[in-house]
Amino acid sequence: MSYSVSLSSPIHFHTNSRFFSTFPPKLPNELKTTVTTTTAAAIPPLSTATSVTDLSVLDSTTVALIGGGSVAALAAVLSFTDPERRRRLQAEEVGGGDKEVVRNYFNNSGFQRWKKIYGETDDVNKVQLDIRLGHSKTVENVMKMLTDDGSLNGVTVCDAGCGTGCLSIPLAKEGAVVSASDISAAMVAEAEKQAKEQLTAGNGDIAPVMPKFEVKDLESLDGKYDTVVCLDVLIHYPQNKADGMIAHLASLAENRLILSFAPKTFYYDLLKRIGELFPGPSKATRAYLHAEADVERALNKVGWKIRKRGLITTQFYFARLVEAVPA
């Protein structure tokens, strides 16, 4: 459940104290050559962005950046469009609000789309391959955050919004005791299937514990865990609800909370609004960006502070990643 944007920016990740390295995932060669590591990302000239012909592969959670002066023209058109009307119609069709739209999307067309992105199939377009790369980098940086502090053997982790198990399975391979959940029953079934296939062989001296998979929304999560991780899910929550959700997730964590979210800046917000002009052939969910300062404020309010932070970007994916600990 990722958020994406057309930016010709390199992948970079940093913490408050040192540069945070990344590890290349198994991806097609043409993508490997585009990945560089740096401490600062440059916003490219608009002329380097994707062309209008690429828009057919995007949906409303994939933001299209049109080249050259087209951005200014499209920005002017925004005031004459009504993406909210499309959202209201979606909600009416499934008989509810944002949550019901998200559940319906990720149990149907969204599941098929994101299963391919999160998987290893070659049946993906260049945008989906790039999003796969970005999401893989997010997972790898989370794993590095966690393993930098020592062994995960026996550590309890809540993977809130587990998708197809991209994080839950690597955690289990490291010996973590994982409770994984997602609002989508289809996603949970796929995650459980993947876990059974990948965890039966073990991981050297570590005997992995099969994650406990459940169909739950974030509001329904309970229990206590050493670490709570919630990747690319806050995009489905407006800021007023995200504040409460961050507080809820923090209440479940004893030592560490890791969040990723689509950062809200003037530039990214403009791209999102432009992207809403091109919803694509499949219905998708409403996307909310979050300012890092707002997320940090919500954490501080419940007695947590950010210890590490970073930004992962590829051409079509961007995510702010933060690790918080009790203040």
Side-chain angles (χ1 to χ4, degrees), residues 296-307:
E296 187 162 15
R297 189 178 303 112
L299 287 165
N300 294 160
K301 187 175 180 180
V302 292
W304 288 66
K305 64 181 181 181
I306 294 178
R307 181 171 69 172

Side-chain angles (χ1 to χ4, degrees), residues 105-142:
Y105 174 69
F106 285 105
N107 273 322
N108 294 286
S109 61
F111 168 68
Q112 297 301 328
R113 180 175 190 267
W114 290 98
K115 176 185 174 183
K116 290 198 300 183
I117 291 174
Y118 293 151
E120 297 182 353
T121 178
D122 293 329
D123 183 25
V124 287
N125 57 51
K126 67 178 183 179
V127 175
Q128 293 168 335
L129 279 172
D130 191 80
I131 296 171
R132 178 187 293 175
L133 170 64
H135 185 262
S136 295
K137 286 297 177 185
T138 298
V139 170
E140 288 162 6
N141 277 297
V142 169

Side-chain angles (χ1 to χ4, degrees), residues 1-2 160-163 181-182 218 229-237 245 260-261 290:
M1 301 182 187
S2 306
C162 65
S181 60
D182 199 280
L218 296 190
V229 184
C230 185
L231 302 183
D232 296 346
V233 178
L234 290 179
I235 193 168
H236 303 300
Y237 290 83
M245 189 47 54
S260 75
F261 54 93
H290 299 287

Side-chain angles (χ1 to χ4, degrees), residues 136-190:
S136 295
K137 286 297 177 185
T138 298
V139 170
E140 288 162 6
N141 277 297
V142 169
M143 290 300 298
K144 181 165 176 57
M145 276 182 170
L146 295 172
T147 56
D148 272 355
D149 286 347
S151 172
L152 293 178
N153 198 22
V155 174
T156 56
V157 180
C158 172
D159 184 5
C162 65
T164 59
C166 297
L167 178 64
S168 296
I169 294 171
L171 286 170
K173 288 180 178 179
E174 292 295 324
V177 180
V178 182
S179 295
S181 60
D182 199 280
I183 194 172
S184 164
M187 287 285 189
V188 169
E190 179 64 21

Side-chain angles (χ1 to χ4, degrees), residues 85-97 100-101 104 283:
R85 180 175 180 275
R86 186 174 69 251
R87 303 305 186 196
R88 288 195 300 270
L89 291 175
Q90 286 178 248
E92 289 172 6
E93 286 183 11
V94 297
E100 287 71 27
V101 170
N104 184 67
K283 294 181 179 179

Side-chain angles (χ1 to χ4, degrees), residues 154-263:
V155 174
T156 56
V157 180
C158 172
D159 184 5
C162 65
T164 59
C166 297
L167 178 64
S168 296
I169 294 171
L171 286 170
K173 288 180 178 179
E174 292 295 324
V177 180
V178 182
S179 295
S181 60
D182 199 280
I183 194 172
S184 164
M187 287 285 189
V188 169
E190 179 64 21
E192 195 162 20
K193 174 177 173 290
Q194 293 292 330
K196 289 177 180 177
E197 291 176 359
Q198 297 183 42
L199 296 177
T200 53
N203 183 28
D205 296 331
I206 299 175
V209 177
M210 186 64 64
K212 178 184 178 183
F213 292 103
E214 294 182 283
V215 180
K216 280 187 175 183
D217 55 37
L218 296 190
E219 292 87 344
S220 302
L221 296 178
D222 55 13
K224 279 289 185 181
Y225 309 89
D226 177 88
T227 298
V228 174
V229 184
C230 185
L231 302 183
D232 296 346
V233 178
L234 290 179
I235 193 168
H236 303 300
Y237 290 83
Q239 189 59 53
N240 62 328
K241 293 185 178 179
D243 288 352
M245 189 47 54
I246 290 170
H248 177 57
L249 293 172
S251 74
L252 307 176
E254 294 182 335
N255 296 311
R256 181 164 43 192
L257 172 61
I258 297 176
L259 303 170
S260 75
F261 54 93

